[in-house]
Amino acid sequence: MKQKKKSIIPEACSCTIIHQDRIDRASKQMPKTEVLFNLAELFKSFGDTTRIRILYSLFKEEMCVCDLCAFLGMTQSSISHQLRILKLSRLVRSRKAGKVVYYSLEDVHIKDIFKLGLIHINE
Amino acid sequence: MKQKKKSIIPEACSCTIIHQDRIDRASKQMPKTEVLFNLAELFKSFGDTTRIRILYSLFKEEMCVCDLCAFLGMTQSSISHQLRILKLSRLVRSRKAGKVVYYSLEDVHIKDIFKLGLIHINE
DNA sequence: ATAACATATGAACACATGTTCATATGTACT
DNA sequence: AGTACATATGAACATGTGTTCATATGTTAT
């Protein structure tokens, strides 16, 4: 009798009913761990109401930090901290004009991603 | 996934250079706070490597909890907890077959959202 | 130079989140 | 009935995260 193949990391799961064929197929179409990590990081940037609201505010045109504070009713520090995160994720870019810093969307795909997200919510 | 509701405080910003016209225009195309909150919740579900890996594993076909544990090299408890979150977000559905529970994707848009996310990362 | 202002940032805090451990639930089989 | 197994779940723990506060940086005007 042929023995059942055990899991990749033996101590992770004690189950015996494992569909090795399914695992093999899933394995083939799985992106690299690093890619999945970066993807999770990206969605993490979208996973906060304040950041979502900032991005939506910039959908049509650029705004300065001041505008965002006033519009979203939040402290300047809070907005600045979140803008920093969005900038690190390459979701917004900044343009300096004297004392004022204007922020705008860096990626056109953001709108499409949000659109798909909204479809899911409304289903 | 829970998130604290943030209060809107008018005196949050002491800036004087506010572009009221920009704020008015942004205001017009801004979805309701509740919608933005739900959108953030959805992306929060995508914002974890384990959950991203689970979703990717289910791209082609359903898998049981056991398969996921073995494939992803994680404990059964950990996978179960994450599946619960994904189910609450209506991203996966479950089907019981005796002792075994099979999970599959509930929303066809997930793939498209991931696709767009990957485009952003690779830019 | 000094003052005023717009923005950035480090530290501290409270709260959220993911994993682990122990255990409960539910199903199949003897 | 009992045993074995697949999955679910509550509690505890450590880590991560968003806001606040204080303060720093950089720019403009006097």
Side-chain angles (χ1 to χ4, degrees):
Chain A
M1 266 291 194
K2 230 169 136 186
Q3 251 195 340
K4 202 147 221 168
K5 270 225 170 163
K6 280 280 173 168
S7 59
I8 300 158
I9 296 172
E11 62 272 24
C13 179
S14 58
C15 307
T16 54
I17 303 186
I18 296 171
H19 305 81
Q20 191 58 47
D21 52 332
R22 286 177 201 245
I23 292 178
D24 291 339
R25 284 193 293 271
S27 183
K28 272 182 196 158
Q29 47 107 43
M30 199 79 169
K32 283 181 193 160
T33 309
E34 190 205 350
V35 174
L36 298 179
F37 180 84
N38 291 335
L39 204 53
E41 287 300 299
L42 173 66
F43 289 127
K44 220 174 276 183
S45 298
F46 292 145
D48 174 76
T49 309
T50 300
R51 288 194 293 271
I52 288 259
R53 295 207 301 154
I54 290 175
L55 291 171
Y56 254 110
S57 305
L58 302 176
F59 258 33
K60 295 278 183 199
E61 60 190 322
E62 64 180 13
M63 279 180 125
C64 69
V65 179
C66 212
D67 294 339
L68 290 167
C69 295
F71 181 43
L72 303 179
M74 301 193 67
T75 64
Q76 178 269 318
S77 177
S78 181
I79 295 290
S80 258
H81 278 299
Q82 297 303 348
L83 283 170
R84 188 171 176 278
I85 292 172
L86 291 173
K87 204 172 177 183
L88 284 173
S89 303
R90 296 176 12 260
L91 295 172
V92 302
R93 94 182 87 228
S94 63
R95 173 178 77 82
K96 211 163 187 183
K99 285 187 294 186
V100 183
V101 179
Y102 290 92
Y103 281 86
S104 57
L105 291 195
E106 173 147 8
D107 188 330
V108 288
H109 305 103
I110 300 173
K111 297 183 188 183
D112 296 323
I113 293 175
F114 283 8
K115 218 174 282 174
L116 288 174
L118 286 176
I119 291 173
H120 173 80
I121 289 170
N122 292 324
E123 260 170 8
Chain B
M1 309 206 90
K2 273 180 276 181
Q3 187 177 316
K4 217 174 41 170
K5 273 232 170 143
K6 288 150 196 166
S7 56
I8 291 166
I9 304 156
E11 63 273 23
C13 181
S14 58
C15 307
T16 55
I17 302 185
I18 296 172
H19 307 80
Q20 191 59 46
D21 52 331
R22 286 177 202 245
I23 293 177
D24 290 340
R25 284 192 293 270
S27 183
K28 272 181 194 156
Q29 48 105 45
M30 199 80 168
K32 283 181 193 159
T33 309
E34 190 205 349
V35 174
L36 298 179
F37 181 84
N38 291 334
L39 202 54
E41 287 300 298
L42 172 65
F43 288 126
K44 217 176 278 184
S45 297
F46 292 144
D48 175 77
T49 309
T50 300
R51 287 193 294 271
I52 289 260
R53 296 207 300 154
I54 290 175
L55 292 171
Y56 254 110
S57 305
L58 303 176
F59 258 33
K60 296 278 184 198
E61 58 188 325
E62 63 180 13
M63 280 180 126
C64 69
V65 179
C66 211
D67 295 338
L68 290 167
C69 295
F71 181 42
L72 302 180
M74 302 192 67
T75 63
Q76 178 267 318
S77 177
S78 181
I79 296 290
S80 258
H81 278 299
Q82 298 303 347
L83 284 170
R84 188 172 177 278
I85 292 172
L86 292 173
K87 205 172 178 184
L88 284 174
S89 304
R90 297 177 9 261
L91 294 172
V92 302
R93 94 180 89 228
S94 64
R95 174 177 76 83
K96 211 163 185 180
K99 284 186 294 185
V100 184
V101 179
Y102 291 92
Y103 281 86
S104 57
L105 290 195
E106 173 147 6
D107 188 331
V108 288
H109 305 103
I110 299 173
K111 297 184 188 183
D112 297 322
I113 292 176
F114 284 8
K115 219 175 281 174
L116 288 174
L118 286 176
I119 291 174
H120 173 80
I121 288 170
N122 293 324
E123 261 169 9

mmCIF file of all heavy atoms in Angstrom, chain A residues 64-99:
data_model
loop_
_atom_site.group_PDB
_atom_site.id
_atom_site.type_symbol
_atom_site.label_atom_id
_atom_site.label_comp_id
_atom_site.label_asym_id
_atom_site.label_seq_id
_atom_site.Cartn_x
_atom_site.Cartn_y
_atom_site.Cartn_z
ATOM 1 N N CYS A 64 -3.615 70.731 -1.530
ATOM 2 C CA CYS A 64 -2.526 70.899 -0.581
ATOM 3 C C CYS A 64 -2.917 70.255 0.746
ATOM 4 O O CYS A 64 -4.078 69.920 0.966
ATOM 5 C CB CYS A 64 -2.172 72.367 -0.394
ATOM 6 S SG CYS A 64 -3.426 73.331 0.447
ATOM 7 N N VAL A 65 -1.948 70.081 1.596
ATOM 8 C CA VAL A 65 -2.181 69.436 2.890
ATOM 9 C C VAL A 65 -3.282 70.152 3.656
ATOM 10 O O VAL A 65 -4.154 69.531 4.257
ATOM 11 C CB VAL A 65 -0.872 69.419 3.715
ATOM 12 C CG1 VAL A 65 -1.106 68.763 5.068
ATOM 13 C CG2 VAL A 65 0.217 68.686 2.955
ATOM 14 N N CYS A 66 -3.211 71.466 3.575
ATOM 15 C CA CYS A 66 -4.193 72.329 4.221
ATOM 16 C C CYS A 66 -5.616 72.024 3.767
ATOM 17 O O CYS A 66 -6.525 71.918 4.575
ATOM 18 C CB CYS A 66 -3.840 73.764 3.842
ATOM 19 S SG CYS A 66 -4.234 74.925 5.108
ATOM 20 N N ASP A 67 -5.794 71.908 2.459
ATOM 21 C CA ASP A 67 -7.107 71.575 1.910
ATOM 22 C C ASP A 67 -7.612 70.264 2.484
ATOM 23 O O ASP A 67 -8.771 70.154 2.891
ATOM 24 C CB ASP A 67 -7.024 71.427 0.379
ATOM 25 C CG ASP A 67 -6.682 72.743 -0.300
ATOM 26 O OD1 ASP A 67 -6.906 73.802 0.315
ATOM 27 O OD2 ASP A 67 -6.185 72.691 -1.436
ATOM 28 N N LEU A 68 -6.739 69.275 2.495
ATOM 29 C CA LEU A 68 -7.122 67.948 2.974
ATOM 30 C C LEU A 68 -7.530 67.985 4.441
ATOM 31 O O LEU A 68 -8.516 67.365 4.835
ATOM 32 C CB LEU A 68 -5.975 66.958 2.759
ATOM 33 C CG LEU A 68 -5.710 66.598 1.289
ATOM 34 C CD1 LEU A 68 -4.378 65.883 1.131
ATOM 35 C CD2 LEU A 68 -6.842 65.736 0.741
ATOM 36 N N CYS A 69 -6.763 68.731 5.254
ATOM 37 C CA CYS A 69 -7.120 68.865 6.674
ATOM 38 C C CYS A 69 -8.513 69.444 6.819
ATOM 39 O O CYS A 69 -9.351 68.898 7.543
ATOM 40 C CB CYS A 69 -6.137 69.797 7.390
ATOM 41 S SG CYS A 69 -4.473 69.189 7.464
ATOM 42 N N ALA A 70 -8.746 70.544 6.108
ATOM 43 C CA ALA A 70 -10.030 71.237 6.228
ATOM 44 C C ALA A 70 -11.156 70.350 5.716
ATOM 45 O O ALA A 70 -12.193 70.208 6.367
ATOM 46 C CB ALA A 70 -9.991 72.550 5.460
ATOM 47 N N PHE A 71 -10.924 69.738 4.570
ATOM 48 C CA PHE A 71 -11.971 68.929 3.943
ATOM 49 C C PHE A 71 -12.305 67.707 4.779
ATOM 50 O O PHE A 71 -13.483 67.375 4.983
ATOM 51 C CB PHE A 71 -11.521 68.527 2.537
ATOM 52 C CG PHE A 71 -12.524 67.704 1.797
ATOM 53 C CD1 PHE A 71 -13.889 68.022 1.825
ATOM 54 C CD2 PHE A 71 -12.125 66.610 1.042
ATOM 55 C CE1 PHE A 71 -14.814 67.258 1.134
ATOM 56 C CE2 PHE A 71 -13.054 65.849 0.355
ATOM 57 C CZ PHE A 71 -14.397 66.165 0.404
ATOM 58 N N LEU A 72 -11.285 67.027 5.257
ATOM 59 C CA LEU A 72 -11.518 65.776 5.982
ATOM 60 C C LEU A 72 -11.696 65.992 7.485
ATOM 61 O O LEU A 72 -11.994 65.051 8.211
ATOM 62 C CB LEU A 72 -10.365 64.801 5.714
ATOM 63 C CG LEU A 72 -10.134 64.477 4.229
ATOM 64 C CD1 LEU A 72 -8.965 63.524 4.059
ATOM 65 C CD2 LEU A 72 -11.397 63.883 3.607
ATOM 66 N N GLY A 73 -11.496 67.223 7.939
ATOM 67 C CA GLY A 73 -11.696 67.514 9.354
ATOM 68 C C GLY A 73 -10.735 66.769 10.249
ATOM 69 O O GLY A 73 -11.109 66.243 11.286
ATOM 70 N N MET A 74 -9.493 66.732 9.833
ATOM 71 C CA MET A 74 -8.493 66.038 10.647
ATOM 72 C C MET A 74 -7.275 66.937 10.874
ATOM 73 O O MET A 74 -7.074 67.913 10.162
ATOM 74 C CB MET A 74 -8.076 64.746 9.955
ATOM 75 C CG MET A 74 -9.248 63.819 9.722
ATOM 76 S SD MET A 74 -8.740 62.175 9.252
ATOM 77 C CE MET A 74 -7.942 61.606 10.734
ATOM 78 N N THR A 75 -6.485 66.574 11.858
ATOM 79 C CA THR A 75 -5.318 67.388 12.178
ATOM 80 C C THR A 75 -4.272 67.313 11.065
ATOM 81 O O THR A 75 -4.202 66.339 10.331
ATOM 82 C CB THR A 75 -4.648 66.911 13.477
ATOM 83 O OG1 THR A 75 -4.165 65.587 13.280
ATOM 84 C CG2 THR A 75 -5.618 66.935 14.631
ATOM 85 N N GLN A 76 -3.473 68.360 10.981
ATOM 86 C CA GLN A 76 -2.436 68.427 9.960
ATOM 87 C C GLN A 76 -1.432 67.307 10.138
ATOM 88 O O GLN A 76 -0.970 66.704 9.164
ATOM 89 C CB GLN A 76 -1.768 69.808 10.029
ATOM 90 C CG GLN A 76 -0.630 70.016 9.068
ATOM 91 C CD GLN A 76 0.686 69.627 9.697
ATOM 92 O OE1 GLN A 76 0.942 69.925 10.863
ATOM 93 N NE2 GLN A 76 1.526 68.954 8.937
ATOM 94 N N SER A 77 -1.114 67.017 11.373
ATOM 95 C CA SER A 77 -0.136 65.964 11.650
ATOM 96 C C SER A 77 -0.634 64.615 11.147
ATOM 97 O O SER A 77 0.095 63.866 10.492
ATOM 98 C CB SER A 77 0.139 65.892 13.146
ATOM 99 O OG SER A 77 1.016 64.839 13.441
ATOM 100 N N SER A 78 -1.872 64.335 11.445
ATOM 101 C CA SER A 78 -2.459 63.066 11.038
ATOM 102 C C SER A 78 -2.441 62.913 9.515
ATOM 103 O O SER A 78 -2.043 61.868 8.984
ATOM 104 C CB SER A 78 -3.887 62.982 11.572
ATOM 105 O OG SER A 78 -4.470 61.771 11.225
ATOM 106 N N ILE A 79 -2.860 63.959 8.831
ATOM 107 C CA ILE A 79 -2.874 63.927 7.360
ATOM 108 C C ILE A 79 -1.463 63.743 6.822
ATOM 109 O O ILE A 79 -1.225 62.932 5.917
ATOM 110 C CB ILE A 79 -3.492 65.234 6.813
ATOM 111 C CG1 ILE A 79 -4.967 65.344 7.209
ATOM 112 C CG2 ILE A 79 -3.327 65.314 5.296
ATOM 113 C CD1 ILE A 79 -5.877 64.375 6.510
ATOM 114 N N SER A 80 -0.525 64.457 7.392
ATOM 115 C CA SER A 80 0.860 64.368 6.932
ATOM 116 C C SER A 80 1.421 62.955 7.091
ATOM 117 O O SER A 80 2.093 62.437 6.199
ATOM 118 C CB SER A 80 1.737 65.354 7.716
ATOM 119 O OG SER A 80 2.012 66.496 6.946
ATOM 120 N N HIS A 81 1.140 62.373 8.238
ATOM 121 C CA HIS A 81 1.608 61.002 8.467
ATOM 122 C C HIS A 81 1.036 60.045 7.424
ATOM 123 O O HIS A 81 1.749 59.185 6.903
ATOM 124 C CB HIS A 81 1.201 60.538 9.865
ATOM 125 C CG HIS A 81 2.126 61.000 10.950
ATOM 126 N ND1 HIS A 81 3.450 60.647 10.991
ATOM 127 C CD2 HIS A 81 1.919 61.787 12.026
ATOM 128 C CE1 HIS A 81 4.019 61.196 12.051
ATOM 129 N NE2 HIS A 81 3.115 61.893 12.693
ATOM 130 N N GLN A 82 -0.233 60.189 7.135
ATOM 131 C CA GLN A 82 -0.865 59.278 6.169
ATOM 132 C C GLN A 82 -0.371 59.544 4.752
ATOM 133 O O GLN A 82 -0.199 58.599 3.964
ATOM 134 C CB GLN A 82 -2.384 59.399 6.236
ATOM 135 C CG GLN A 82 -2.985 59.007 7.575
ATOM 136 C CD GLN A 82 -2.628 57.599 8.006
ATOM 137 O OE1 GLN A 82 -2.117 56.814 7.219
ATOM 138 N NE2 GLN A 82 -2.867 57.287 9.257
ATOM 139 N N LEU A 83 -0.133 60.809 4.440
ATOM 140 C CA LEU A 83 0.400 61.129 3.110
ATOM 141 C C LEU A 83 1.762 60.485 2.909
ATOM 142 O O LEU A 83 2.117 60.064 1.809
ATOM 143 C CB LEU A 83 0.491 62.654 2.933
ATOM 144 C CG LEU A 83 -0.829 63.362 2.638
ATOM 145 C CD1 LEU A 83 -0.666 64.872 2.732
ATOM 146 C CD2 LEU A 83 -1.351 62.976 1.257
ATOM 147 N N ARG A 84 2.501 60.435 3.984
ATOM 148 C CA ARG A 84 3.830 59.822 3.917
ATOM 149 C C ARG A 84 3.726 58.343 3.522
ATOM 150 O O ARG A 84 4.470 57.841 2.685
ATOM 151 C CB ARG A 84 4.525 59.960 5.265
ATOM 152 C CG ARG A 84 5.972 59.538 5.266
ATOM 153 C CD ARG A 84 6.642 59.915 6.575
ATOM 154 N NE ARG A 84 8.014 59.414 6.591
ATOM 155 C CZ ARG A 84 8.341 58.164 6.910
ATOM 156 N NH1 ARG A 84 7.396 57.322 7.255
ATOM 157 N NH2 ARG A 84 9.606 57.780 6.884
ATOM 158 N N ILE A 85 2.768 57.650 4.154
ATOM 159 C CA ILE A 85 2.544 56.235 3.840
ATOM 160 C C ILE A 85 2.117 56.065 2.387
ATOM 161 O O ILE A 85 2.611 55.189 1.673
ATOM 162 C CB ILE A 85 1.480 55.654 4.797
ATOM 163 C CG1 ILE A 85 2.030 55.591 6.224
ATOM 164 C CG2 ILE A 85 1.035 54.268 4.331
ATOM 165 C CD1 ILE A 85 1.012 55.216 7.274
ATOM 166 N N LEU A 86 1.208 56.918 1.950
ATOM 167 C CA LEU A 86 0.721 56.831 0.569
ATOM 168 C C LEU A 86 1.837 57.112 -0.429
ATOM 169 O O LEU A 86 1.878 56.548 -1.512
ATOM 170 C CB LEU A 86 -0.434 57.824 0.364
ATOM 171 C CG LEU A 86 -1.728 57.483 1.112
ATOM 172 C CD1 LEU A 86 -2.746 58.605 0.984
ATOM 173 C CD2 LEU A 86 -2.312 56.176 0.584
ATOM 174 N N LYS A 87 2.742 57.994 -0.033
ATOM 175 C CA LYS A 87 3.854 58.329 -0.919
ATOM 176 C C LYS A 87 4.840 57.169 -1.007
ATOM 177 O O LYS A 87 5.352 56.856 -2.087
ATOM 178 C CB LYS A 87 4.561 59.587 -0.396
ATOM 179 C CG LYS A 87 5.313 60.340 -1.474
ATOM 180 C CD LYS A 87 5.821 61.681 -0.959
ATOM 181 C CE LYS A 87 6.637 62.396 -2.017
ATOM 182 N NZ LYS A 87 7.181 63.655 -1.482
ATOM 183 N N LEU A 88 5.082 56.527 0.121
ATOM 184 C CA LEU A 88 5.978 55.368 0.142
ATOM 185 C C LEU A 88 5.417 54.230 -0.712
ATOM 186 O O LEU A 88 6.171 53.463 -1.301
ATOM 187 C CB LEU A 88 6.193 54.895 1.588
ATOM 188 C CG LEU A 88 7.135 55.745 2.433
ATOM 189 C CD1 LEU A 88 7.134 55.265 3.880
ATOM 190 C CD2 LEU A 88 8.550 55.706 1.870
ATOM 191 N N SER A 89 4.103 54.123 -0.772
ATOM 192 C CA SER A 89 3.468 53.092 -1.603
ATOM 193 C C SER A 89 3.332 53.562 -3.049
ATOM 194 O O SER A 89 2.732 52.875 -3.856
ATOM 195 C CB SER A 89 2.081 52.751 -1.055
ATOM 196 O OG SER A 89 2.156 52.338 0.284
ATOM 197 N N ARG A 90 3.867 54.715 -3.338
ATOM 198 C CA ARG A 90 3.800 55.300 -4.688
ATOM 199 C C ARG A 90 2.362 55.463 -5.157
ATOM 200 O O ARG A 90 2.056 55.218 -6.325
ATOM 201 C CB ARG A 90 4.606 54.448 -5.676
ATOM 202 C CG ARG A 90 6.104 54.429 -5.329
ATOM 203 C CD ARG A 90 6.960 53.538 -6.198
ATOM 204 N NE ARG A 90 6.317 53.036 -7.380
ATOM 205 C CZ ARG A 90 5.802 51.792 -7.486
ATOM 206 N NH1 ARG A 90 5.891 50.948 -6.473
ATOM 207 N NH2 ARG A 90 5.237 51.421 -8.598
ATOM 208 N N LEU A 91 1.512 55.890 -4.236
ATOM 209 C CA LEU A 91 0.120 56.121 -4.608
ATOM 210 C C LEU A 91 -0.152 57.602 -4.824
ATOM 211 O O LEU A 91 -1.062 57.974 -5.545
ATOM 212 C CB LEU A 91 -0.815 55.553 -3.525
ATOM 213 C CG LEU A 91 -0.752 54.028 -3.383
ATOM 214 C CD1 LEU A 91 -1.546 53.563 -2.178
ATOM 215 C CD2 LEU A 91 -1.282 53.353 -4.644
ATOM 216 N N VAL A 92 0.615 58.451 -4.172
ATOM 217 C CA VAL A 92 0.495 59.890 -4.395
ATOM 218 C C VAL A 92 1.886 60.472 -4.649
ATOM 219 O O VAL A 92 2.896 59.886 -4.280
ATOM 220 C CB VAL A 92 -0.136 60.621 -3.183
ATOM 221 C CG1 VAL A 92 -1.506 60.066 -2.868
ATOM 222 C CG2 VAL A 92 0.773 60.535 -1.969
ATOM 223 N N ARG A 93 1.882 61.625 -5.297
ATOM 224 C CA ARG A 93 3.144 62.346 -5.497
ATOM 225 C C ARG A 93 2.950 63.761 -4.972
ATOM 226 O O ARG A 93 1.812 64.226 -4.829
ATOM 227 C CB ARG A 93 3.515 62.342 -6.986
ATOM 228 C CG ARG A 93 3.041 63.554 -7.749
ATOM 229 C CD ARG A 93 3.395 63.482 -9.208
ATOM 230 N NE ARG A 93 2.383 62.784 -9.989
ATOM 231 C CZ ARG A 93 2.655 61.809 -10.879
ATOM 232 N NH1 ARG A 93 3.882 61.425 -11.086
ATOM 233 N NH2 ARG A 93 1.675 61.238 -11.553
ATOM 234 N N SER A 94 4.041 64.448 -4.669
ATOM 235 C CA SER A 94 3.916 65.796 -4.129
ATOM 236 C C SER A 94 4.679 66.797 -4.984
ATOM 237 O O SER A 94 5.661 66.460 -5.636
ATOM 238 C CB SER A 94 4.435 65.833 -2.692
ATOM 239 O OG SER A 94 5.810 65.511 -2.664
ATOM 240 N N ARG A 95 4.171 68.026 -4.942
ATOM 241 C CA ARG A 95 4.759 69.109 -5.722
ATOM 242 C C ARG A 95 4.839 70.314 -4.795
ATOM 243 O O ARG A 95 3.858 70.672 -4.149
ATOM 244 C CB ARG A 95 3.845 69.404 -6.905
ATOM 245 C CG ARG A 95 4.209 70.613 -7.743
ATOM 246 C CD ARG A 95 3.242 70.755 -8.908
ATOM 247 N NE ARG A 95 1.960 71.304 -8.498
ATOM 248 C CZ ARG A 95 1.710 72.599 -8.327
ATOM 249 N NH1 ARG A 95 2.677 73.486 -8.521
ATOM 250 N NH2 ARG A 95 0.521 73.029 -7.958
ATOM 251 N N LYS A 96 6.001 70.881 -4.694
ATOM 252 C CA LYS A 96 6.193 71.984 -3.755
ATOM 253 C C LYS A 96 6.016 73.319 -4.470
ATOM 254 O O LYS A 96 6.594 73.529 -5.542
ATOM 255 C CB LYS A 96 7.588 71.905 -3.144
ATOM 256 C CG LYS A 96 7.655 72.450 -1.736
ATOM 257 C CD LYS A 96 8.912 71.985 -1.033
ATOM 258 C CE LYS A 96 8.889 72.389 0.433
ATOM 259 N NZ LYS A 96 10.125 71.996 1.102
ATOM 260 N N ALA A 97 5.252 74.218 -3.875
ATOM 261 C CA ALA A 97 5.069 75.560 -4.432
ATOM 262 C C ALA A 97 5.208 76.539 -3.274
ATOM 263 O O ALA A 97 4.226 76.858 -2.607
ATOM 264 C CB ALA A 97 3.702 75.700 -5.101
ATOM 265 N N GLY A 98 6.430 76.978 -3.043
ATOM 266 C CA GLY A 98 6.671 77.851 -1.896
ATOM 267 C C GLY A 98 6.483 77.089 -0.606
ATOM 268 O O GLY A 98 7.052 75.998 -0.456
ATOM 269 N N LYS A 99 5.685 77.624 0.258
ATOM 270 C CA LYS A 99 5.431 76.940 1.522
ATOM 271 C C LYS A 99 4.479 75.767 1.356
ATOM 272 O O LYS A 99 4.466 74.837 2.148
ATOM 273 C CB LYS A 99 4.801 77.933 2.524
ATOM 274 C CG LYS A 99 5.738 78.928 3.114
ATOM 275 C CD LYS A 99 5.048 79.740 4.195
ATOM 276 C CE LYS A 99 3.952 80.612 3.619
ATOM 277 N NZ LYS A 99 3.357 81.510 4.648
#
